[in-house]
Amino acid sequence: MTQSVLWKRIWRHKLLYVFMLPGIIWFFLFSYVPLFGIQVAFRDFKFSGGFTGSPWAGWKYFEQFFSYYQSLDLIRNTIIISLMKLLIGFTMPILLAILLNEVRNVKFKKTVQTLSYLPYFVSWIVVVTLMQRILTPYGGPLNDFLSSLGMEPIQFLNNTTWFYQIIVGSDIWKNIGWNSIIYMAAIAGIDQQLYEAAKIDGAGRLRQMWHVTLPGIRNIAVILFILSVGSLMSAGYEQLLLLNGPATSAIGSVLDVHVISAGIGEGRLSYAAAVGLFQSIIALILIVTVNRIARKVSDVSLF
Amino acid sequence: MKNKRVKSTSLFLAVVLMAGALFGCSSNNGDGKGNTSSNNGGTTNSGNANKEVTLKVLHNWNGSTGSDVDMTAVEKVIKEKTGITIQWEYTKGSEVEKVNTIFATQDMPDIYTGPAWGGELDGIIKAAKEDQLVDLSDKLDKYPNLAKAIAEENVPPALYEKAFNAYGGKQFLLYQNHPATPEDAMDWLYGFYVRKDIAEKIGVDPQSVHTKDELYSFLKKIKDAGLSENGMPVIPLGGFHDGWAVGIANTMFYGSGYIDKGDGTLENSFFTKAYEDYTLYYRKLLAEGLLDPEAFTQTDPIANEKIKQGRIAVLAAHYPAILDASKDYVKAHPGSDYVPVGPLERAGAAADRPVDLGIQGNNVTVIPKKSKNVDAALRLLDYLASDEGFLLVRYGVQGVHWDMENGKPVAKKEWFDKFTEDTTGKLRKNEGISIGLESMSGQDRINSVGGGDIWADQERLAAMDNARKILRPNGISVISAYNAGDVIMKSDKWETLKPSMDKIGDVWKVAIFAKSDEAALKVINDLRGQMNKTGYQEAIQFTNENLKGKEVVLLQMPN
């Protein structure tokens, strides 16, 4: 395509490009401009020197992180929590989308959809405050219910026994509706003739689901899985910052919170940038690797 | 034609939408008079004396709040006297994070005031060393009230050396609320306080509790009594936000942050057997349900709710905080006021020894170089630090809220009754008292100049006096010796050691929640290993060499 043809096509669709522009500007400002700050990880950041005027420090802050006695624990905890969220949190929205697709009562379907989207818009601080109120052993409704059944009150929060269940469960509750939207859209795009053909071939609803719906959303699921793998080194700082306590620190301290507390809490901005950069590089390697595997196995890939 | 018009309109709307989105993303507060004008780069503006100006003041105290009115009566007087209108910013969240954020993002106020200790002070010292603050050394001769507050004799020696006289003759920090005279010294009466009615119910005299074992038994008796309030169990021991200050029984195990190893050299208490015993003691309290497990993760509103519902039997904190938090419950349930437990034993201290307290100021105030009018900022601070300014911010407007009778401020009855009635404190704030101005009013002269807090109600004063008699039977002794914690910071290993030492508090909390004593000790030993790896041994050796022959703090109670 010659350059003039390209410009002609852009001009023809100029309205669509104008609508894209805020998104492009957003990405440029918040995802590309900050890349300039990566150099802080290799500098001794000074307030007076800023990004470009602070003295170079080489690999000093990376060495500090890897000689930190809890660095391996932090990496391990991050991966475990992310893996759990990935494996369970990735499949649940697909399940919800498929189930909703099977619901024939439109009013019920729309109500469930709306209710499942709502938690996504509630901030973690509100979610955690609600959880504290509901789960407290001192007069919380859940423990009151357990007591009425003759059971002993349970300390749900700040307790290693319940930590993973609460982290993964609350994450799914908050995101399942929102994450299912894209699958709902993919399902809506499946040619209805395929279902009719399946019916003629004698397929029941489960068979249709298995042979039509799932293959219909396979591509989008693979793409989203590849993208999700990129966040394997990031377990979600808001949730963990709020739900991790001293009792669960051994399994709940993650890299994201470590970066925030070192950078903003202790003022070690270069160190925090180094740890953050380490996370990003691992994420990039993971995405490239999984993308390559996906391309070989299923012919679906991001790039 | 019509199609073209629709297209043009759509394009226009899209552009407006985009522009709106971008404008919404900008960080401008939009008030037009905020911290936007920084055009004089911190230079003085002497030609503008008393010209009307608005200054943005950051009051860096988590949870501090201002008034609900545009300008309080006190602020109106300040404007009349100095020409300055104050635009407040209060911190919601960690003070240390706020300090680091304002300098890292360069989003600075015209005046900063915040805690004179901990990571907040470290952040300010770092900013001073990195040329972010206005050097006041050549300006202080024009502002005598400020000069007085940071004279060497008016700042604790170690703090003076560490934060005030540490920049080769330059002067960046102002110091607030250091007692002007011994009679102004504030003893916050930190301790364990029990609800009187609960102590009576379990039949234990709180003054009979002295040792660690007696404190444990006391809490156990409360638990075993199976008390409940509003259908919920009463928690034997609790505190306020993030565990403040349930850990203060540490003084029953070791004297201060650094202890004498017996050979005249110092060791950080974290490395001692006493610290292990202290940790295991608290682990036992937690494991047996004597200490509120939510105490370390709760916020102040949740802590206050528990207290207001009467669900905490023993509180560990300073007494004014306990009196404030329990005011409503006590009003509704006479006889349920919190009274002191003890006095408790102190590790390494003779029974007749006065209580060793570090009495010091509480705020450092600085003017960032980006301040839009340095002279105005200094004029404001100097006025607030004068006797007139001090009385204004502490007591309100003379003639309106109080009168001077026989050279002594006396509260107007009408306002005294109103303030006493208002348990929220909002009424005071709406008049301009306790909105943050008190953090910038120079030396504390509440008794020497103010004749004693005129707004304190008699019951509160009586409760404080009673607690003082019980907890300070031998009086207090103000610490003037060197603190090893201030010296170790000068070691060349400090940069690598500090991140490890900053973890001590967090690690203690993790240890007391450990599944077993062995696991708790492992948590402590792991951090000890990291501290050694990051230069603790060299740093403590440096500290010992520097403190040889000097009087060092070995006993200190919280204050």
Side-chain angles (χ1 to χ4, degrees):
Chain A
M1 191 187 296
T2 62
Q3 210 177 0
S4 62
V5 175
L6 176 68
W7 279 112
K8 266 184 189 168
R9 283 185 59 178
I10 290 177
W11 184 247
R12 196 183 315 144
H13 300 294
K14 56 186 175 297
L15 206 58
L16 296 176
Y17 281 103
V18 168
F19 277 111
M20 274 173 64
L21 210 52
I24 293 169
I25 292 172
W26 187 91
F27 266 104
F28 179 73
L29 286 180
F30 295 102
S31 296
Y32 287 91
V33 172
L35 288 176
F36 176 71
I38 285 176
Q39 58 180 309
V40 171
F42 302 95
R43 290 180 184 269
D44 269 325
F45 181 78
K46 307 270 179 218
F47 295 143
S48 49
F51 284 170
T52 52
S54 300
W56 290 105
W59 297 97
K60 176 178 158 187
Y61 293 105
F62 292 88
E63 284 165 14
Q64 266 187 24
F65 173 63
F66 288 108
S67 65
Y68 177 54
Y69 79 117
Q70 288 184 324
S71 58
L72 285 179
D73 294 342
L74 289 167
I75 295 171
R76 187 199 60 210
N77 293 343
T78 308
I79 291 175
I80 289 174
I81 292 171
S82 300
L83 263 182
M84 284 183 177
K85 284 185 178 177
L86 182 67
L87 296 177
I88 305 170
F90 176 72
T91 49
M92 287 296 170
I94 300 177
L95 199 62
L96 179 70
I98 293 172
L99 290 175
L100 283 174
N101 186 51
E102 296 301 317
V103 175
R104 293 289 168 257
N105 185 324
V106 178
K107 264 192 180 173
F108 177 74
K109 184 178 174 177
K110 292 221 181 280
T111 311
V112 172
Q113 265 180 293
T114 309
L115 286 176
S116 62
Y117 299 160
L118 278 179
Y120 179 82
F121 299 101
V122 183
S123 79
W124 271 115
I125 189 79
V126 175
V127 173
V128 171
T129 307
L130 274 172
M131 288 168 71
Q132 284 171 343
R133 297 282 176 176
I134 293 167
L135 302 176
T136 177
Y138 304 116
L142 186 59
N143 270 304
D144 279 355
F145 175 68
L146 294 178
S147 300
S148 69
L149 298 176
M151 295 166 73
E152 283 291 305
I154 297 171
Q155 176 78 41
F156 287 103
L157 296 177
N158 208 18
N159 182 347
T160 46
T161 313
W162 291 94
F163 183 70
Y164 289 133
Q165 292 91 314
I166 282 170
I167 292 290
V168 177
S170 59
D171 187 63
I172 289 173
W173 175 77
K174 197 168 177 319
N175 295 314
I176 187 168
W178 181 258
N179 290 345
S180 69
I181 292 177
I182 198 157
Y183 295 111
M184 297 284 291
I187 291 170
I190 296 172
D191 189 346
Q192 289 303 310
Q193 288 182 10
L194 293 174
Y195 287 104
E196 281 159 22
K199 266 186 214 166
I200 291 165
D201 288 347
R205 290 179 81 169
L206 273 176
R207 285 257 169 213
Q208 288 175 38
M209 222 186 278
W210 186 255
H211 291 290
V212 181
T213 312
L214 278 176
I217 60 171
R218 192 192 65 159
N219 287 3
I220 195 76
V222 171
I223 297 283
L224 288 180
F225 183 78
I226 295 168
L227 288 171
S228 307
V229 168
S231 59
L232 204 62
M233 291 299 282
S234 169
Y237 92 91
E238 288 163 302
Q239 184 196 24
L240 269 301
L241 183 72
L242 295 163
L243 282 173
N244 183 32
T248 55
S249 174
I251 58 171
S253 297
V254 294
L255 284 169
D256 310 68
V257 179
H258 184 64
V259 167
I260 296 288
S261 60
I264 301 178
E266 296 167 23
R268 299 163 67 203
L269 295 166
S270 296
Y271 173 82
V275 181
L277 182 57
F278 164 72
Q279 277 180 289
S280 303
I281 289 169
I282 300 290
L284 182 66
I285 293 170
L286 284 170
I287 285 192
V288 171
T289 310
V290 174
N291 187 63
R292 195 165 286 184
I293 295 169
R295 195 168 48 199
K296 279 195 175 168
V297 174
S298 67
D299 288 338
V300 180
S301 63
L302 267 178
F303 43 85
Chain B
M1 186 68 186
K2 190 183 168 194
N3 195 24
K4 204 172 177 185
R5 267 209 307 270
V6 170
K7 269 192 172 179
S8 304
T9 313
S10 308
L11 196 64
F12 172 74
L13 286 172
V15 170
V16 169
L17 186 72
M18 192 178 70
L22 286 176
F23 185 75
C25 289
S26 77
S27 63
N28 194 329
N29 290 333
D31 55 15
K33 58 181 181 178
N35 195 18
T36 50
S37 167
S38 303
N39 50 9
N40 69 354
T43 56
T44 58
N45 214 351
S46 50
N48 290 345
N50 285 353
K51 189 182 164 190
E52 287 203 359
V53 56
T54 298
L55 295 179
K56 184 175 163 189
V57 176
L58 170 59
H59 190 249
N60 191 24
W61 289 90
N62 182 15
S64 56
T65 55
S67 68
D68 292 334
V69 297
D70 285 343
M71 188 178 274
T72 62
V74 169
E75 287 169 303
K76 276 181 193 154
V77 175
I78 291 171
K79 191 176 179 185
E80 280 165 27
K81 298 279 180 181
T82 64
I84 293 161
T85 303
I86 301 170
Q87 183 195 343
W88 289 100
E89 183 188 347
Y90 298 99
T91 298
K92 288 175 182 63
S94 158
E95 292 100 340
V96 182
E97 289 178 11
K98 188 70 186 179
V99 172
N100 291 324
T101 306
I102 59 168
F103 290 109
T105 60
Q106 295 288 300
D107 179 16
M108 289 195 249
D110 297 308
I111 298 173
Y112 163 96
T113 194
W117 48 69
E120 300 89 335
L121 181 61
D122 292 345
I124 291 295
I125 293 172
K126 181 173 156 66
K129 287 181 176 166
E130 294 184 14
D131 204 26
Q132 297 291 296
L133 308 176
V134 174
D135 175 18
L136 306 172
S137 51
D138 60 344
K139 299 177 173 61
L140 286 173
D141 54 340
K142 284 188 275 176
Y143 302 101
N145 299 315
L146 301 179
K148 190 176 173 190
I150 54 168
E152 187 169 358
E153 65 274 18
N154 291 329
V155 181
L159 183 66
Y160 188 80
E161 216 172 282
K162 170 184 158 185
F164 287 80
N165 187 26
Y167 318 103
K170 290 184 177 177
Q171 188 66 265
F172 297 104
L173 277 66
L174 297 170
Y175 195 41
Q176 314 284 0
N177 287 322
H178 187 72
T181 65
E183 64 172 317
D184 294 305
M186 174 72 175
D187 177 359
W188 290 85
L189 293 164
Y190 269 86
F192 290 82
Y193 292 82
V194 64
R195 282 243 313 270
K196 202 159 78 178
D197 55 336
I198 290 180
E200 281 164 7
K201 267 184 202 159
I202 61 164
V204 177
D205 174 10
Q207 269 64 74
S208 68
V209 179
H210 300 294
T211 65
K212 307 182 248 301
D213 291 341
E214 284 166 357
L215 180 63
Y216 166 78
S217 305
F218 183 56
L219 296 171
K220 187 105 177 57
K221 271 189 184 163
I222 294 172
K223 174 151 176 78
D224 292 345
L227 305 170
S228 67
E229 200 74 55
N230 292 322
M232 288 178 268
V234 168
I235 303 162
L237 172 60
F240 288 82
H241 67 277
D242 297 328
W244 183 71
V246 292
I248 55 174
N250 60 341
T251 52
M252 298 167 87
F253 293 84
Y254 51 86
S256 74
Y258 289 80
I259 62 166
D260 190 332
K261 282 198 289 185
D263 58 0
T265 61
L266 299 168
E267 183 81 283
N268 187 297
S269 55
F270 183 68
F271 280 82
T272 62
K273 170 82 170 51
Y275 194 89
E276 293 175 3
D277 294 341
Y278 159 60
T279 308
L280 298 183
Y281 180 82
Y282 270 82
R283 204 190 87 70
K284 188 173 159 188
L285 295 184
L286 254 182
E288 295 186 12
L290 307 181
L291 169 59
D292 182 4
E294 293 180 348
F296 299 96
T297 47
Q298 71 192 0
T299 56
D300 261 340
I302 290 184
N304 281 319
E305 185 183 290
K306 288 177 181 171
I307 297 163
K308 283 181 201 303
Q309 290 175 347
R311 288 160 51 203
I312 308 285
V314 178
L315 269 171
H318 65 52
Y319 203 25
I322 293 171
L323 289 172
D324 287 340
S326 60
K327 204 186 276 183
D328 288 342
Y329 187 82
V330 172
K331 205 172 173 183
H333 303 82
S336 65
D337 32 334
Y338 282 88
V339 294
V341 176
L344 300 173
E345 64 181 348
R346 297 170 56 203
D352 60 350
R353 186 181 172 94
V355 168
D356 304 82
L357 296 179
I359 301 279
Q360 57 173 49
N362 51 24
N363 271 256
V364 289
T365 304
V366 295
I367 304 173
K369 272 200 166 167
K370 286 201 164 182
S371 177
K372 62 177 161 291
N373 193 329
V374 174
D375 267 357
L378 284 166
R379 195 165 71 237
L380 171 69
L381 293 169
D382 193 60
Y383 173 69
L384 296 178
S386 67
D387 283 353
E388 182 187 328
F390 179 84
L391 292 175
L392 175 68
V393 304
R394 296 297 177 116
Y395 294 163
V397 182
Q398 186 174 0
V400 176
H401 302 107
W402 59 279
D403 290 315
M404 191 66 89
E405 290 177 11
N406 303 321
K408 218 179 148 190
V410 177
K412 290 214 174 192
K413 187 168 182 320
E414 170 204 356
W415 284 103
F416 184 88
D417 292 343
K418 279 186 192 171
F419 287 164
T420 308
E421 193 59 34
D422 173 36
T423 53
T424 65
K426 205 68 207 172
L427 193 60
R428 270 187 219 210
K429 285 183 186 289
N430 287 345
E431 293 303 308
I433 303 167
S434 304
I435 59 171
L437 292 164
E438 70 287 355
S439 301
M440 301 183 290
S441 54
Q443 290 185 300
D444 187 358
R445 286 150 282 168
I446 196 75
N447 292 314
S448 55
V449 172
D453 188 355
I454 60 170
W455 300 122
D457 68 72
Q458 291 309 307
E459 280 179 30
R460 186 188 177 93
L461 287 177
M464 292 285 284
D465 274 345
N466 179 50
R468 196 171 291 113
K469 273 180 204 143
I470 293 168
L471 297 178
R472 314 289 188 235
N474 308 307
I476 63 166
S477 160
V478 176
I479 293 170
S480 58
Y482 280 88
N483 192 327
D486 292 328
V487 179
I488 200 168
M489 292 175 71
K490 292 177 187 161
S491 152
D492 58 5
K493 292 287 177 189
W494 183 244
E495 190 194 337
T496 51
L497 178 60
K498 183 179 180 294
S500 320
M501 288 196 64
D502 284 346
K503 292 269 177 287
I504 290 177
D506 288 340
V507 159
W508 179 76
K509 289 179 194 170
V510 172
I512 64 169
F513 276 97
K515 296 278 183 207
S516 64
D517 283 359
E518 292 71 31
L521 295 178
K522 184 180 180 306
V523 170
I524 289 173
N525 282 325
D526 284 349
L527 182 61
R528 286 172 176 168
Q530 174 71 9
M531 284 170 65
N532 282 329
K533 211 162 79 178
T534 49
Y536 169 75
Q537 292 305 334
E538 294 89 335
I540 195 70
Q541 194 182 338
F542 167 88
T543 308
N544 278 313
E545 282 163 10
N546 273 270
L547 288 175
K548 203 172 271 179
K550 290 182 179 162
E551 194 194 347
V552 180
V553 179
L554 292 172
L555 291 167
Q556 180 166 12
M557 294 286 275
N559 194 42

